[in-house]
């Protein structure tokens, strides 16, 4: 969409193209770590619960830094804040690449978490340069980037892990450096809102948004989405494969690659038509219900055919739910509050990402595989309950 609100321009000439490249490269580096970290930690005799805590340490730090980075991006602009966040990811990957003790794995995730604002800032940038009616399709670009990242990153990580678990981490650091260069040289500046940015503190922000029905409901939906998703992707699925199928990073990476392929196909070619047919609220509910079924089935997946059905259902569900919820969140507040509300949504996501991996690690450590899948499914069903209530929520 043209920045002046005019007719559509070429995607390659629009500001969405460089932000897509930035997110793609960044997600590619991030997804290389997902199947690797559990096996890396087990080199240092880490338990399943400890591995869950490594993933959660990232989220704890993100919980602290997320709203702060959101407010900073409202004040100083999206581009410089995004570059700062990317530099933190680069340092975190470098520490991971040279780790020779368990505490260095924790340190790498802590550094990355304290500067983790890449996704929320990119979402705020997209919100700045698109019209509300086109925002879900635009947010689908992040989904395409996630799909492409999950398609390529984990598979490459599995192959590179043959040469040592530090190799994928160092390659991820190189990709992070490329992402920084893309932000510096390709990403155009976006004029800030003429209205003064939201300057209230975190508790006041939470109070302000949760007093209003629309943002409160959207933020809670996003919390349940992220909680169920993080129980699976946040280390839990790799541990599940390790115990149930005796798979290491390579085969686990291939599964994530299949999931990324489904996500990329859905968000690359279907999301626009699905939004027109169902609308964001109904589509989010459909996605939640599909995730709930798939996650519950995972608890019983002891063979490859059933696992393939699980991957198809859960990949489709998460692919349509994330962009729909992100659009609903931005539509629930005013233009001058979008950076702030996305920062709060990132805080909610961080809270979920603290709970999810620890719960997954605890359940898997006690070999409660069926309960693990059913629990994730029930949480997704809780998210679906908001859409099933059919509440009419108008933007503020």
């Amino acid at each position: 969409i043209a920045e002046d609100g005019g007719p559509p321009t070429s995607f390659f000439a629009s500001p969405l193209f460089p932000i897509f490249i930035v997110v793609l490269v960044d997600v590619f580096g991030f997804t290389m770590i997902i199947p690797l970290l559990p096996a890396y930690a087990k080199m240092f005799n880490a338990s399943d619960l400890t591995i869950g805590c490594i993933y959660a340490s990232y989220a704890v730090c993100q919980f602290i830094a997320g709203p702060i980075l959101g407010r900073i991006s409202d004040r100083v602009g999206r581009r410089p804040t995004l570059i700062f966040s990317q530099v933190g990811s680069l340092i975190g990957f470098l520490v991971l690449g040279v780790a020779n003790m368990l505490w260095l794995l924790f340190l790498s995730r802590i550094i990355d978490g304290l500067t983790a604002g890449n996704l929320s800032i990119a979402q705020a940038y997209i919100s700045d340069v698109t019209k509300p009616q086109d925002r879900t399709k635009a947010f689908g670009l992040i989904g395409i980037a996630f799909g492409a990242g999950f398609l390529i990153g984990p598979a490459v990580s599995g192959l590179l892990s043959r040469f040592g678990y530090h190799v994928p981490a160092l390659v991820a650091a190189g990709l992070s450096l490329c992402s920084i260069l893309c932000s510096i040289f390709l990403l155009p500046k976006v004029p800030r809102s003429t209205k003064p940015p939201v300057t209230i503190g975190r508790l006041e922000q939470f109070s302000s948004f949760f007093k209003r029905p629309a943002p409160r409901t959207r933020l809670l939906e996003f919390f349940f989405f992220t909680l169920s998703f993080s129980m699976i992707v946040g280390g839990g699925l790799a541990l599940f494969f390790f115990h149930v199928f005796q798979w290491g990073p390579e085969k686990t990476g291939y599964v994530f690659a299949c999931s990324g392929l489904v996500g990329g196909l859905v968000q690359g070619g279907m999301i626009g038509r699905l939004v027109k047919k169902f609308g964001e609220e109904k589509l989010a509910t459909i996605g939640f219900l599909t995730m709930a079924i798939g996650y519950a089935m995972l608890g019983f997946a002891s063979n490859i055919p059933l696992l393939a059905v699980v991957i198809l259902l859960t990949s489709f569900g998460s692919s349509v739910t994330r962009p729909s919820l992100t659009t609903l969140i931005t539509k629930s507040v005013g233009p001058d509050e979008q950076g702030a509300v996305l920062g709060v949504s990132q805080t909610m996501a961080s809270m979920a990402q603290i709970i999810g991996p620890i719960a997954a690690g605890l359940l898997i450590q006690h070999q409660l595989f069926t309960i693990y899948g059913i629990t994730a499914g029930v949480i997704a069903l809780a998210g679906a309950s908001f859409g099933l209530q059919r509440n009419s929520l108008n933007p503020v």
Side-chain angles (χ1 to χ4, degrees), residues 151-218:
L151 173 62
I152 304 172
V156 171
S157 178
L159 292 172
L160 292 176
S161 67
R162 296 177 177 181
F163 306 99
Y165 292 149
H166 66 288
V167 175
L170 293 176
V171 172
L175 290 170
S176 186
L177 178 60
C178 292
S179 180
I180 294 169
L181 295 176
C182 287
S183 294
I184 293 173
F185 295 109
L186 297 180
L187 195 63
K189 294 181 179 179
V190 176
R192 295 196 297 270
S193 172
T194 56
K195 296 183 179 181
V198 178
T199 58
I200 59 176
R202 176 185 302 196
L203 291 178
E204 290 81 4
Q205 278 189 338
F206 268 84
S207 177
S208 172
F209 291 133
F210 272 78
K211 283 179 180 177
R212 294 141 62 182
R216 178 180 66 240
T217 299
R218 302 315 178 192

Side-chain angles (χ1 to χ4, degrees), residues 247-270:
W247 288 351
E250 187 171 353
K251 290 184 178 179
T252 298
Y254 295 152
V255 173
F256 278 109
C258 292
S259 176
L261 176 61
V262 175
L265 291 173
V266 170
Q267 296 184 332
M270 297 174 59

Side-chain angles (χ1 to χ4, degrees), residues 36-235:
L36 174 72
L37 198 55
Y40 207 161
K42 284 190 175 292
M43 285 181 56
F44 307 112
N45 300 316
S47 67
D48 295 333
L49 179 58
T50 300
I51 293 170
C53 290
I54 293 174
Y55 282 99
S57 66
Y58 171 91
V60 169
C61 296
Q62 191 180 52
F63 174 79
I64 297 170
I68 298 172
L69 289 173
R71 291 197 299 270
I72 290 174
S73 76
D74 282 337
R75 293 193 187 103
V76 305
R78 315 297 186 201
R79 185 169 171 268
T81 312
L82 180 61
I83 293 171
F84 168 79
S85 177
Q86 291 169 310
V87 170
S89 295
L90 170 61
I91 296 172
F93 288 144
L94 288 174
V95 172
L96 185 64
V98 301
N100 57 5
M101 290 180 284
L102 185 61
W103 71 268
L104 286 173
L105 298 187
F106 276 98
L107 179 62
S108 71
R109 306 315 295 149
I110 288 170
I111 293 172
D112 202 0
L114 286 174
T115 57
N118 304 22
L119 180 57
S120 61
I121 297 168
Q123 289 171 334
Y125 185 97
I126 290 173
S127 181
D128 288 340
V129 299
T130 56
K131 296 178 180 179
Q133 64 268 27
D134 299 311
R135 208 163 284 157
T136 298
K137 189 174 182 179
F139 283 135
L141 292 174
I142 291 180
I144 296 172
F146 265 89
F150 272 102
L151 173 62
I152 304 172
V156 171
S157 178
L159 292 172
L160 292 176
S161 67
R162 296 177 177 181
F163 306 99
Y165 292 149
H166 66 288
V167 175
L170 293 176
V171 172
L175 290 170
S176 186
L177 178 60
C178 292
S179 180
I180 294 169
L181 295 176
C182 287
S183 294
I184 293 173
F185 295 109
L186 297 180
L187 195 63
K189 294 181 179 179
V190 176
R192 295 196 297 270
S193 172
T194 56
K195 296 183 179 181
V198 178
T199 58
I200 59 176
R202 176 185 302 196
L203 291 178
E204 290 81 4
Q205 278 189 338
F206 268 84
S207 177
S208 172
F209 291 133
F210 272 78
K211 283 179 180 177
R212 294 141 62 182
R216 178 180 66 240
T217 299
R218 302 315 178 192
L219 289 169
L220 287 173
E221 283 182 296
F222 193 70
F223 173 80
F224 285 115
F225 166 78
T226 310
L227 180 56
S228 62
F229 186 79
S230 65
M231 282 193 68
I232 304 300
V233 177

